[in-house]
Amino acid sequence: MRVPSQLTRREFARAAAMSSLGAGLAIAGISSGWARKPKNTPEKSRVDGPLSLKTHAAAAGLLAGCAVVPELFDLTPASNDPYTHTVAQQASILVAENAMKWSSLRPSPTTYEFSNVDRLFGFAQLNGQQIRGHNLCWHEQLPAWFASTATKENAHSLLTQHIFNVAGRYAGRVHSWDVVNEAIHVPDGRSDGLRKSPWLGLIGPEYVEIAFATAAQADSKARLTYNDYDIELDTPEQSAKRGQVLMLIRRLHARGIPIHAVGIQSHLQANGPRAGAGLQSFIRDVATLGLEVYITELDINTHALPGSPEVQDSAVADVYRQYLGLLLPEPNVRAVLTWGISDAHTWLNQSKQLWTVRPDGARQRPLPFDENYTPTAAFFAMRDAFDAGRHLVKSSAI
Ligand code: XIL
């Protein structure tokens, strides 16, 4: 297996010092002044540079990062925007929260809208950050035109053309691609565990292999990843789903389909059961196939946890501590990304669902920075977990 290309501090400094990034950045509307700022970072967020998550993670051979919204980056040279600053300082790897999904990229069956993704790549290049692609094939966030346009006749070509055009455009610049997202759904009752998704209905179960094989052709460098949720715990439901995910990965591997990693989303609950032996042995099973593991969408939901912000913060930090303490010692776990960086922008405060809204009306605090960009207890729990992994430095190939 390839070793993840960790940026050394020298490489990071070189990237940050670059003063001109050429036409690509100009097209993306990105000025090169960002590397010189900001100057007036509030004292309370002085967890930058050597004190940052990415620096502590790098010392343990890990990438640390978060999901981002490229439209929120303030790229004007004099800006002191806390979102932009915090993402630049804390993350060595970024993933688009929505910008690389079909619904964002495909305004019509024949057109592509890449401007936000180009902006993301420009920002990452300026800050020496890697990028995860999310995602190429999913049953959700398909464009409105999809249902009326996709047929059994054209679905194969819709999928493969999309993958060629999207993964091909950014080929060589992507750390890992979530090629297929959330394909397993045990309640759908199939023996292969596959979800009854539009892709399954239109193409059949081979859509998974087609997606991976096409992604490998479009970008031979990216680590091709299968990403899923609710596979973390030892509850009967999650154990069953995790088992089906493992079977799927084994099937793909046995057939020589290019797959290099598994993404464990890790949307966890503050007061639910904790992850344990089942997930640990899953990660080890995946390692025997030579696959890496990424924690891809970590956040801690407190909708069902009564109490003050302090009570929430301490419960959330406890879950970060326990979860990363369990997973980071596994040598094939190579990246930890939270689903957002600050409580100012988290899907858990955006969607008004039973599983997100707190009865007391308070906002959730699921991430390492609060809505004022002050590091939360979760930040320090994460950083401590990275520090605890330092003696295990993941420098060797698995
Ligand atoms: C979520 C985004 O955070 C929301 O903004 C959007 O409205 C819905 O999707 N699993 C995934 C992510 O793979 O793409 C989802 O992101 C969260 C669950």
Side-chain angles (χ1 to χ4, degrees):
M1 284 300 297
R2 287 162 294 182
V3 179
S5 45
Q6 287 285 337
L7 278 180
T8 63
R9 282 192 206 164
R10 189 181 303 159
E11 285 170 321
F12 173 77
R14 196 187 306 135
M18 285 171 74
S19 59
S20 168
L21 292 168
L25 287 183
I27 291 163
I30 289 175
S31 120
S32 58
W34 171 248
R36 292 189 295 275
K37 63 187 174 52
K39 295 198 181 79
N40 348 306
T41 307
E43 207 50 50
K44 65 189 177 191
S45 64
R46 287 240 176 254
V47 284
D48 296 347
L51 302 175
S52 65
L53 294 175
K54 73 176 171 193
T55 305
H56 282 244
L62 289 161
L63 292 166
C66 58
V68 292
V69 180
E71 301 95 299
L72 293 177
F73 293 144
D74 180 354
L75 302 164
T76 53
S79 159
N80 190 30
D81 172 60
Y83 178 78
T84 313
H85 176 75
T86 308
V87 171
Q89 282 295 322
Q90 299 298 328
S92 48
I93 187 162
L94 305 178
V95 61
E97 183 174 357
N98 289 302
M100 292 174 99
K101 295 172 181 173
W102 276 67
S103 53
S104 303
L105 289 176
R106 303 297 303 275
S108 81
T110 51
T111 54
Y112 289 79
E113 174 50 65
F114 286 117
S115 54
N116 276 328
V117 185
D118 290 349
R119 187 177 167 86
L120 170 62
F121 273 86
F123 181 82
Q125 188 177 352
L126 204 51
N127 291 295
Q129 293 161 317
Q130 302 198 49
I131 289 193
R132 303 201 68 245
H134 175 83
N135 56 60
L136 293 170
C137 180
W138 189 26
H139 63 286
E140 281 187 26
Q141 290 183 273
L142 289 163
W145 54 260
F146 188 88
S148 55
T149 308
T151 63
K152 288 193 174 182
E153 286 66 47
N154 68 15
H156 180 281
S157 118
L158 264 178
L159 179 63
T160 56
Q161 285 310 311
H162 180 86
I163 294 175
F164 277 128
N165 286 328
V166 176
R169 180 180 177 90
Y170 300 106
R173 302 166 69 194
V174 173
H175 165 274
S176 50
W177 260 113
D178 288 336
V179 178
V180 175
N181 196 33
E182 305 182 351
I184 295 292
H185 192 55
V186 177
D188 281 349
R190 290 174 54 96
S191 60
D192 60 9
L194 286 179
R195 179 188 296 275
K196 291 185 175 163
S197 76
W199 293 115
L200 182 85
L202 291 165
I203 299 178
E206 60 274 25
Y207 86 87
V208 177
E209 300 188 3
I210 293 167
F212 275 94
T214 310
Q217 280 180 268
D219 183 347
S220 61
K221 297 267 167 41
R223 296 164 183 82
L224 305 183
T225 306
Y226 176 78
N227 193 47
D228 217 328
Y229 70 102
D230 277 0
I231 54 173
E232 296 85 10
L233 308 181
D234 287 335
T235 61
E237 295 77 14
Q238 296 207 12
S239 298
K241 181 167 181 178
R242 190 167 54 237
Q244 287 287 17
V245 168
L246 184 60
M247 304 269 274
L248 172 65
I249 291 159
R250 283 186 173 146
R251 280 199 303 278
L252 295 171
H253 188 260
R255 296 178 59 116
I257 302 298
I259 175 167
H260 309 116
V262 178
I264 301 172
Q265 290 188 11
S266 312
H267 295 292
L268 303 175
Q269 303 287 326
N271 50 345
R274 298 289 171 93
L279 184 56
Q280 205 171 42
S281 73
F282 172 84
I283 291 170
R284 291 174 186 174
D285 287 341
V286 160
T288 64
L289 304 175
L291 271 63
E292 297 187 339
V293 167
Y294 314 130
I295 298 170
T296 51
E297 306 185 14
L298 181 59
D299 58 12
I300 317 299
N301 188 324
T302 56
H303 82 283
L305 179 83
S308 65
E310 292 71 29
V311 169
Q312 281 193 64
D313 282 0
S314 128
V316 165
D318 262 3
V319 180
Y320 274 93
R321 193 173 298 113
Q322 186 270 340
Y323 191 68
L324 295 178
L326 178 76
L327 267 60
L328 297 190
E330 300 303 319
N332 57 331
V333 174
R334 315 302 289 239
V336 180
L337 292 95
T338 50
W339 203 240
I341 189 73
S342 112
D343 302 338
H345 302 285
T346 157
W347 70 317
L348 296 178
N349 282 330
Q350 279 152 10
S351 76
K352 302 286 170 228
Q353 313 272 345
L354 270 181
W355 51 272
T356 57
V357 174
R358 292 173 55 82
D360 63 7
R363 287 167 63 81
Q364 295 218 28
R365 302 170 64 85
L367 291 168
F369 288 83
D370 73 9
E371 59 190 351
N372 301 312
Y373 295 88
T374 304
T376 58
F379 171 94
F380 296 99
M382 286 182 84
R383 216 175 53 175
D384 290 349
F386 295 148
D387 291 348
R390 254 190 308 214
H391 67 286
L392 305 160
V393 172
K394 297 160 193 263
S395 54
S396 61
I398 55 167

